[in-house]
Amino acid sequence: MLIQLTYASRTSPNIGPADIKDILQSSQRNNGTLGVTGALCLANGIFLQQLEGDRQTVNQVYHRLLHDTRHTNPAVLDFGEISCRRFGAWNMGLISAVPDNRQLFLKYSNTAHFDPYLMSVPTLRAFFDEVIQSVRWLS
Ligand code: FAD
């Protein structure tokens, strides 16, 4: 059964570009082997990740990354069955708050800062729909 899981977490203090690079590299390597696809957003000190793939496999990946000390306060925001993958061949793309993407982050924010913890499920889904269509991929 194919599912998607969306969660948010806060970056740990002192996390730097090398950590982000490490996270992306291991995500792309592991997810490629496991058949997991998705996207990782980073803005305002918050990670927002959508994972899609086999239900059991996505659960395993999520439980593994819960132990990662590079982030805190993980919270599942959306989880459900999907009929097909939306991220296709992207084992993990990174979207960060570079100037080209800031408008996109703000468009779906209740406040002046991107805060996925406050976003409703329809808003999260609309955000990822737009990510898929128009974002500048940095990975
Ligand atoms: P390696 O690739 O060998 O490790 C890579 C680097 O990460 C090394 O420098 C190592 O020191 C460091 N590292 C590994 N584990 C930890 C840890 N628990 N705490 C601090 N540093 C560590 N992994 C995935 O497979 N798929 C994902 O989609 C995914 N998304 C992530 C999203 C976020 C926001 C974060 C923070 C992590 C994510 N990870 C993901 C990484 C995951 O938590 C594990 O670190 C990774 O899966 C371990 O892979 P590996 O065994 O191949 O380790």
Side-chain angles (χ1 to χ4, degrees):
M1 181 177 145
L2 201 54
I3 60 103
Q4 65 90 19
L5 183 153
T6 306
Y7 75 91
S9 61
R10 296 193 186 279
T11 56
S12 295
N14 305 324
I15 194 170
D19 296 301
I20 305 299
K21 197 174 161 201
D22 271 356
I23 289 168
L24 261 190
Q25 280 176 348
S26 42
S27 299
Q28 287 167 350
R29 187 182 58 246
N30 296 338
N31 295 356
T33 307
L34 296 169
V36 170
T37 45
L40 178 65
C41 306
L42 174 58
N44 190 29
I46 299 175
F47 288 116
L48 174 65
Q49 187 172 30
Q50 189 165 89
L51 298 164
E52 56 184 24
D54 172 67
R55 177 170 56 188
Q56 191 179 349
T57 311
V58 169
N59 266 288
Q60 282 165 355
V61 170
Y62 180 66
H63 281 276
R64 176 149 42 102
L65 60 84
L66 285 181
H67 299 291
D68 199 311
T69 51
R70 293 168 291 192
H71 64 165
T72 62
N73 301 96
V76 173
L77 305 178
D78 188 17
F79 178 90
E81 186 173 358
I82 49 175
S83 52
C84 63
R85 286 174 196 271
R86 302 190 314 153
F87 286 96
W90 284 310
N91 293 125
M92 196 46 60
L94 175 69
I95 305 122
S96 61
V98 292
D100 280 358
N101 293 337
R102 277 205 189 106
Q103 266 192 319
L104 171 63
F105 284 112
L106 265 187
K107 181 174 171 184
Y108 293 95
S109 300
N110 313 12
T111 62
H113 301 289
F114 184 66
D115 189 347
Y117 289 97
L118 300 177
M119 287 161 72
S120 68
V121 168
T123 303
L124 281 166
R125 290 182 182 174
F127 171 74
F128 276 107
D129 282 346
E130 188 155 346
V131 162
I132 288 163
Q133 284 167 25
S134 65
V135 90
R136 180 178 291 259
W137 292 87
L138 298 177
S139 59

